[in-house]
């Protein structure tokens, strides 16, 4: 019976890739594994007591109205709060009527995909990109158009070349502390991308859940601020407050909110009303910036610890990114290592991470690893990196461990290379 039911699954549904991360998390949960796999904020930073107070207050003071069905666009005072915060932060003039409250930013990815993607439509994505976005979009059968992502932004020439024939439906990106790489676009890349959007009429889904989690350097303006008519700017309360509330929002170009709302209504009527009231009450009674300061200090400490332990325990040929915010660090392994082989060995020893392949639409990534640093303390990070380092070092080719004595010919070659480089 089960088999015959499965045969009826739609083509769209069958195209959604499974989440390797969720599968690892299941194992991690069961076996008390040291896990750097999940994209989990640190529960030590959840403002549980304040949220409990807010929940009690809204239920006693507002009565049953917070438990009733509600409008699909979301609670107006919460939309006003969002508009005011980001208008102040980036000198914008976002109107609350252009904001829709969602059940987490993952929903925004699904709703935008539902509104725009038809089978075979081009969607530009960074390489690597967020697995949850690949999943959300895959259900609508796009043709992914991957662009290389460098330390300070994507390959603009590649983006432009995708626009030469038919303009892709949209581009999806994560300019701040990307999941999985931790990379962040510099100001010039943001400006260049905004220019491309305007030149080709290309739309951008700017996914920005890590915006507030910058623990080094200065905040940079969103691409939305440079081309507001071309950008759906997606935000989230998951990393800022707590993901279990399942609350996010999207800022849309003028006139688009009613269409977004129609697409969202067909899924869930409206976002969780009680969570919206609790969040708004929390923001009214507490200073979010004090809370965010604590989160940033904790994540910086954890990120620094992870970088140090990587340097201490992993082979020196392993390269890592150096995030200025967010929750992830990205490793690139030398050719003799394979992240999927390593995960098998490490899970066996009680440690988990996500091999890179999940984050590519091209099948690449077996020489990459995503490490989540936000959900571990420095001691656990050290234990985990020691295990990973030991497993990696078992694979170091003998020639690297004991390099053969250099022959006269080889020495000549080296000095020639040095000479050419100088
Ligand atoms: C880049 C990115 N976008 C969206 C999401 C979804 O976040 P949420 O639905 O909790 O707002 C995540 C979660 O990890 C993410 O990393």
């Amino acid at each position: 019976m089960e088999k015959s039911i499965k045969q009826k699954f739609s083509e769209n549904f069958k195209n959604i890739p499974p989440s390797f991360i969720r599968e690892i998390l299941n194992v991690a949960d069961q076996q008390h594994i040291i896990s750097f796999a999940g994209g989990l904020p640190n529960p030590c930073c959840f403002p549980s007591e304040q949220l409990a107070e807010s929940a009690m207050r809204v239920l006693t003071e507002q009565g049953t109205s917070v438990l009733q069905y509600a409008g699909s666009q979301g609670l107006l005072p919460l939309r006003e709060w969002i508009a005011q915060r980001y208008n102040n932060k980036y000198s914008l003039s976002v109107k609350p009527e252009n904001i829709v409250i969602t059940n987490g930013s993952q929903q925004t990815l699904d709703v935008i995909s539902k509104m725009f993607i038809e089978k075979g439509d081009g969607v530009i994505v960074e390489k690597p990109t967020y697995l949850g976005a690949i999943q959300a979009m895959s259900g609508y059968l796009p043709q992914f158009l991957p662009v290389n992502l460098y330390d300070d932004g994507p390959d603009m020439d590649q983006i432009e070349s995708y626009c030469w024939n038919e303009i892709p439906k949209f581009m999806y990106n994560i300019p701040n502390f990307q999941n999985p790489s931790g990379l962040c676009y510099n100001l010039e890349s943001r400006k260049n991308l905004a220019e491309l959007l305007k030149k080709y009429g290309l739309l951008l889904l700017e996914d920005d859940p890590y915006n507030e989690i910058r623990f080094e350097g200065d905040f940079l303006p969103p691409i939305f601020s440079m081309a507001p008519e071309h950008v759906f700017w997606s935000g989230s309360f998951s990393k800022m407050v707590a993901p279990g509330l399942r609350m996010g929002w999207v800022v849309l170009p003028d006139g688009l909110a009613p269409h977004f709302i129609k697409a969202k209504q067909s899924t869930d009527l409206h976002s969780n009303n009680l969570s919206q009231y609790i969040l708004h009450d929390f923001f009214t009674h507490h200073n979010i910036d004090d809370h965010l300061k604590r989160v940033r200090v904790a994540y910086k400490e954890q990120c620094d610890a992870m970088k140090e332990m990587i340097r201490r325990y992993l082979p020196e040929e392993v390269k890592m990114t150096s995030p200025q915010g967010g929750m992830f660090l990205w490793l690139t392994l030398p050719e003799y290592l394979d992240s999927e082989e390593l995960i098998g060995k490490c899970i066996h020893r009680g440690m988990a991470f996500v091999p890179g392949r999940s984050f590519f639409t091209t099948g690449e990534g077996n020489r990459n690893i995503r490490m989540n640093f936000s959900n571990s303390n420095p001691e656990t990070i050290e234990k985990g990196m020691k295990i990973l380092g030991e497993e990696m070092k078992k694979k170091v080719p003998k020639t690297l461990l004991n390099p053969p004595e250099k022959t006269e010919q080889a020495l000549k070659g080296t000095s020639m290379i040095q000479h050419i480089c100088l």
Side-chain angles (χ1 to χ4, degrees):
M1 185 62 195
E2 190 190 332
K3 198 170 163 211
S4 68
I5 293 176
K6 284 183 181 167
Q7 279 166 356
K8 294 178 203 268
F9 284 159
S10 70
E11 197 190 339
N12 299 46
F13 176 68
K14 282 190 284 193
N15 199 46
I16 300 175
S19 168
F20 192 84
I21 299 171
R22 302 253 143 230
E23 280 159 30
I24 294 183
L25 282 180
N26 285 342
V27 178
D29 269 0
Q30 283 161 24
Q31 303 179 0
H32 308 292
I33 265 178
I34 298 173
S35 176
F36 307 104
L40 304 182
N42 199 325
C44 298
C45 296
F46 296 158
S48 331
E49 277 172 29
Q50 292 100 316
L51 289 172
E53 261 172 41
S54 289
M56 183 62 93
R57 195 158 34 232
V58 297
L59 280 163
T60 44
E61 288 177 10
Q62 315 260 0
T64 49
S65 63
V66 301
L67 300 174
Q68 188 54 282
Y69 282 118
S72 300
Q73 185 154 9
L75 189 66
L76 180 60
L78 185 58
R79 287 187 281 122
E80 286 169 342
W81 185 90
I82 294 166
Q84 200 188 6
R85 179 168 181 84
Y86 294 99
N87 286 345
N88 289 343
K89 185 168 178 180
Y90 296 116
S91 306
L92 305 174
S93 48
V94 169
K95 293 171 277 189
E97 63 257 35
N98 285 2
I99 298 177
V100 180
I101 307 290
T102 59
N103 279 313
S105 57
Q106 185 69 26
Q107 182 173 48
T108 302
L109 310 186
D110 181 57
V111 174
I112 294 288
S113 302
K114 190 201 286 194
M115 287 169 73
F116 289 96
I117 303 174
E118 283 167 291
K119 186 175 178 178
D121 278 346
V123 177
I124 302 175
V125 289
E126 295 160 332
K127 199 173 88 163
T129 189
Y130 168 50
L131 168 64
I134 300 177
Q135 285 190 306
M137 294 189 250
S138 294
Y140 302 91
L141 309 175
Q143 186 200 348
F144 288 114
L145 306 171
V147 289
N148 291 326
L149 186 62
Y150 304 121
D151 282 355
D152 42 23
D155 185 329
M156 296 294 164
D157 292 339
Q158 228 177 344
I159 298 175
E160 186 153 23
S161 72
Y162 284 134
C163 297
W164 283 340
N165 294 326
E166 202 175 332
I167 310 291
K169 267 296 166 72
F170 60 87
M171 173 170 172
Y172 167 77
N173 76 345
I174 309 151
N176 285 319
F177 325 118
Q178 199 226 27
N179 179 358
S181 66
L183 294 174
C184 183
Y185 290 26
N186 66 9
L187 186 59
E188 196 188 340
S189 291
R190 289 165 196 252
K191 287 184 182 162
N192 290 342
L193 181 55
E195 285 313 309
L196 281 186
L197 300 182
K198 289 190 245 180
K199 179 169 172 188
Y200 291 98
L202 180 66
L203 295 172
L204 177 70
L205 172 47
E206 182 174 13
D207 191 10
D208 202 8
Y210 303 99
N211 179 301
E212 300 279 6
I213 316 296
R214 177 181 274 283
F215 45 72
E216 265 170 36
D218 295 330
F219 282 93
L220 293 172
I223 297 148
F224 169 83
S225 67
M226 302 165 188
E229 293 308 307
H230 297 80
V231 181
F232 313 113
W233 183 31
S234 173
S236 174
F237 292 113
S238 291
K239 331 292 171 183
M240 224 171 142
V241 185
L245 293 164
R246 303 309 304 127
M247 286 275 99
W249 73 91
V250 60
V251 185
L252 296 150
D254 284 345
L256 256 286
H259 300 280
F260 185 95
I261 291 166
K262 186 176 84 171
K264 174 175 151 59
Q265 265 168 354
S266 70
T267 306
D268 66 356
L269 306 180
H270 64 77
S271 296
N272 183 320
N273 201 24
L274 182 57
S275 284
Q276 295 185 67
Y277 272 95
I278 293 173
L279 260 182
H280 180 254
D281 183 275
F282 169 70
F283 293 138
T284 311
H285 288 86
H286 302 278
N287 184 339
I288 183 66
D289 291 306
D290 290 344
H291 167 72
L292 286 170
K293 257 182 226 154
R294 286 189 286 275
V295 177
R296 290 174 191 142
V297 167
Y299 287 12
K300 177 168 167 40
E301 189 195 355
Q302 290 161 226
C303 182
D304 286 348
M306 188 170 271
K307 286 196 292 191
E308 195 190 323
M309 295 309 149
I310 287 172
R311 279 189 220 107
R312 187 177 303 171
Y313 293 109
L314 271 49
E316 60 181 341
E317 304 93 313
V318 174
K319 296 201 180 80
M320 63 173 154
T321 54
S322 187
Q324 294 192 315
M327 310 192 323
F328 305 105
L329 203 147
W330 182 244
L331 302 183
T332 303
L333 312 183
E335 260 162 39
Y336 61 84
L337 292 174
D338 181 311
S339 52
E340 296 193 3
E341 197 187 322
L342 281 168
I343 187 67
K345 306 269 188 232
C346 287
I347 288 223
H348 226 68
R349 295 192 53 191
M351 181 269 188
F353 56 81
V354 188
R357 198 133 65 94
S358 303
F359 307 101
F360 288 82
T361 54
T362 50
E364 297 160 69
N366 68 330
R367 284 182 45 231
N368 293 106
I369 284 179
R370 186 191 78 174
M371 287 289 179
N372 168 249
F373 54 77
S374 55
N375 190 32
S376 317
N377 57 36
E379 295 74 52
T380 320
I381 292 173
E382 174 156 21
K383 271 189 209 154
M385 291 307 128
K386 225 171 151 187
I387 294 174
L388 181 60
E390 283 165 8
E391 289 306 321
M392 285 181 167
K393 284 177 183 163
K394 286 181 190 164
K395 294 275 166 187
V396 176
K398 292 213 169 55
T399 48
L400 284 180
L401 285 174
N402 305 309
E405 281 189 16
K406 286 186 179 157
T407 61
E408 212 175 300
Q409 188 62 31
L411 284 171
K412 245 192 220 162
T414 327
S415 65
M416 245 168 79
I417 293 167
Q418 279 167 355
H419 184 72
I420 291 166
C421 289
L422 287 171

